[in-house]
Amino acid sequence: MAKDYYETLGVARNANKDEIKKAFRNLAHKFHPDKKGGDEKKFKEANEAYSVLSDDRKRSEYDSYGRVFSGGGPSTGSGQAGFDGFDFSNFTGEGFGNANFDFGDINLGDMFSDFFGRSTGERHRQRGHDISIDLEILFEESIFGVERKIFITKAGICDVCRGNGAKPGVGEKTCSACNGKGKLHETKRSFLGSFTSVRTCGTCRGAGKVPEEKCPQCRGLGVLRKESEIIVNIPVGISDGEVIRLAGAGEAVASGAPGDLYAKIYVKKHSLFHKEGSNLVIDLKIKLTTALLGGEYNLKTLDGDIVVKVPVGVSFGEILRVRGKGVPLGRGGKRGDLLIRVKIELPAHLSKDAAELVEKLKEKGI
């Protein structure tokens, strides 16, 4: 018997979205499995009802037919088969008593495709699974870029048969499961009549032929799990948390496209530097006398040692800029700047002589 989603949420059939959302929140709060006294079954039922009634298209289908035909929601109702993968071009009109209908030039495949929002009888090329990894790099590597070699175990194309699943040197024969067609037809009856569904043959994977003898390495699968070396080129100036996509470096699949590999970059913090846009920032601690009289400091940077000239009377927190020593800006050799933030160290204790000198400066209004 069809599920009554309105009854599950405790709302009227003409309830608006806000009422549906409020009802679901109350039930989710009441029955959440992690809560004391929660009920996982009722929580799932409420979630299922909300996923349908909160979506205008799914709700319209449910109100009309008592079930949801399109993807993304659960399929419920009185047991009729769904329409996923059906070839409506073979619709005969049987199933309406003794009547047979002539639909003339009407293309029922197109009509049902438009009505249910999906294509019928369409064959989709298989695609391998994507892989996600975390990759930690040094701060310096994030600034100048680096090439990293990683080793991961994943499904890859068999090195012996090169993915065709056949023992090298042997021929092929017609697939007995589909008689060389590469696809299988299944006829089902529903309240609308008889429909034929089309699916790719699982034996030959749509090729129509199978090897006379299977590859001994992968046993005819064309793929097998193995350790693979992958080179990840990390660009200059990459930031912490950015993701690099390597197309085709994911899981392989026979007779289909491989998935992708996604590497999330984690940049280790540097003890001295941090990045602000295209600039590098560092704190420089100087003595009070240097702040008053000026001077020079040797400073270690990511490019090596440089001499920093501190001007006379520099202020606490003042920024000294060294152009062209920051983050590389791609091609052309241009770079951001190195920003040196001045920190003046004040002595914790003054000797008697130093105190007398400060007193003299004070008398002169300095």
Side-chain angles (χ1 to χ4, degrees):
M1 185 173 179
K3 296 180 181 179
D4 191 334
Y5 288 145
Y6 294 98
E7 182 179 345
T8 299
L9 294 182
V11 297
R13 301 192 74 84
N14 61 349
N16 58 38
K17 283 189 174 183
D18 290 337
E19 293 172 333
I20 292 173
K21 187 175 184 179
K22 182 178 180 181
F24 169 70
R25 284 183 173 177
N26 291 337
L27 292 176
H29 179 74
K30 181 179 179 181
F31 298 123
H32 197 283
D34 295 338
K35 186 178 179 181
K36 185 177 180 180
D39 190 318
E40 184 176 2
K41 181 180 178 181
K42 291 184 178 180
F43 177 80
K44 288 182 177 180
E45 290 176 350
N47 187 61
E48 178 180 322
Y50 179 71
S51 69
V52 172
L53 298 185
S54 62
D55 185 287
D56 292 337
R57 186 190 66 209
K58 296 177 186 177
R59 184 178 181 181
S60 177
E61 292 178 2
Y62 175 76
D63 289 343
S64 299
Y65 307 103
R67 57 173 291 141
V68 177
F69 297 103
S70 55
S75 179
T76 62
S78 55
Q80 287 93 343
F83 297 98
D84 192 15
F86 285 140
D87 182 3
F88 290 101
S89 61
N90 292 327
F91 180 67
T92 63
E94 297 176 1
F96 293 94
N98 296 321
N100 288 316
F101 295 88
D102 181 8
F103 291 94
D105 296 330
I106 298 177
N107 188 326
L108 285 180
D110 293 339
M111 183 182 76
F112 280 98
S113 174
D114 294 338
F115 183 78
F116 292 109
R118 62 176 65 225
S119 59
T120 57
E122 182 180 357
R123 289 172 56 189
H124 298 281
R125 189 186 182 197
Q126 286 186 315
R127 184 178 180 276
H129 294 294
D130 293 335
I131 299 175
S132 297
I133 63 170
D134 295 333
L135 192 58
E136 187 179 59
I137 62 174
L138 299 176
F139 182 81
E140 294 90 332
E141 294 174 332
S142 74
I143 300 301
F144 300 114
V146 68
E147 181 182 281
R148 279 289 186 88
K149 291 182 180 180
I150 60 174
F151 294 88
I152 58 175
T153 300
K154 65 184 183 74
I157 296 297
C158 177
D159 296 325
V160 176
C161 67
R162 300 298 180 184
N164 64 14
K167 181 179 179 180
V170 303
E172 293 181 320
K173 61 181 180 180
T174 301
C175 176
S176 59
C178 64
N179 292 324
K181 302 295 184 181
K183 54 186 178 181
L184 300 174
H185 294 259
E186 295 179 348
T187 301
K188 296 182 180 180
R189 298 177 64 87
S190 76
F191 68 98
L192 290 177
S194 298
F195 301 94
T196 299
S197 63
V198 183
R199 63 180 177 86
T200 302
C201 177
T203 303
C204 65
R205 298 190 291 271
K209 294 183 179 295
V210 293
E212 292 279 359
E213 189 174 349
K214 293 181 179 180
C215 171
Q217 182 72 16
C218 65
R219 299 180 181 179
L221 297 177
V223 295
L224 72 166
R225 297 195 65 80
K226 60 180 181 178
E227 187 177 64
S228 302
E229 178 185 285
I230 298 175
I231 296 178
V232 182
N233 289 305
I234 299 173
V236 299
I238 196 168
S239 299
D240 183 71
E242 285 193 57
V243 176
I244 299 174
R245 173 177 172 264
L246 281 75
E251 298 271 6
V253 61
S255 302
D260 300 332
L261 184 142
Y262 294 87
K264 187 172 184 179
I265 304 301
Y266 291 90
V267 181
K268 294 185 67 174
K269 290 185 177 181
H270 197 278
S271 59
L272 300 176
F273 294 92
H274 71 272
K275 188 173 69 170
E276 292 183 1
S278 62
N279 298 322
L280 292 175
V281 183
I282 186 174
D283 291 337
L284 177 63
K285 295 180 180 180
I286 64 173
K287 295 180 180 179
L288 176 60
T289 53
T290 304
L292 295 173
L293 303 176
E296 294 182 347
Y297 271 82
N298 289 323
L299 181 65
K300 290 185 176 181
T301 72
L302 300 182
D303 293 287
D305 294 348
I306 63 172
V307 177
V308 179
K309 292 184 178 181
V310 179
V312 176
V314 70
S315 302
F316 185 92
E318 189 172 337
I319 301 295
L320 306 178
R321 184 183 298 268
V322 181
R323 298 193 178 279
K325 292 294 184 181
V327 182
L329 302 176
R331 298 179 181 179
K334 293 184 178 180
R335 297 178 59 174
D337 300 332
L338 173 63
L339 305 181
I340 304 171
R341 188 163 48 199
V342 176
K343 301 288 186 179
I344 302 174
E345 292 183 306
L346 299 177
H349 301 283
L350 291 175
S351 65
K352 183 178 179 181
D353 293 340
E356 290 177 354
L357 291 173
V358 174
E359 283 292 338
K360 291 179 180 180
L361 293 175
K362 183 180 179 181
E363 292 173 0
K364 293 182 179 181
I366 299 178

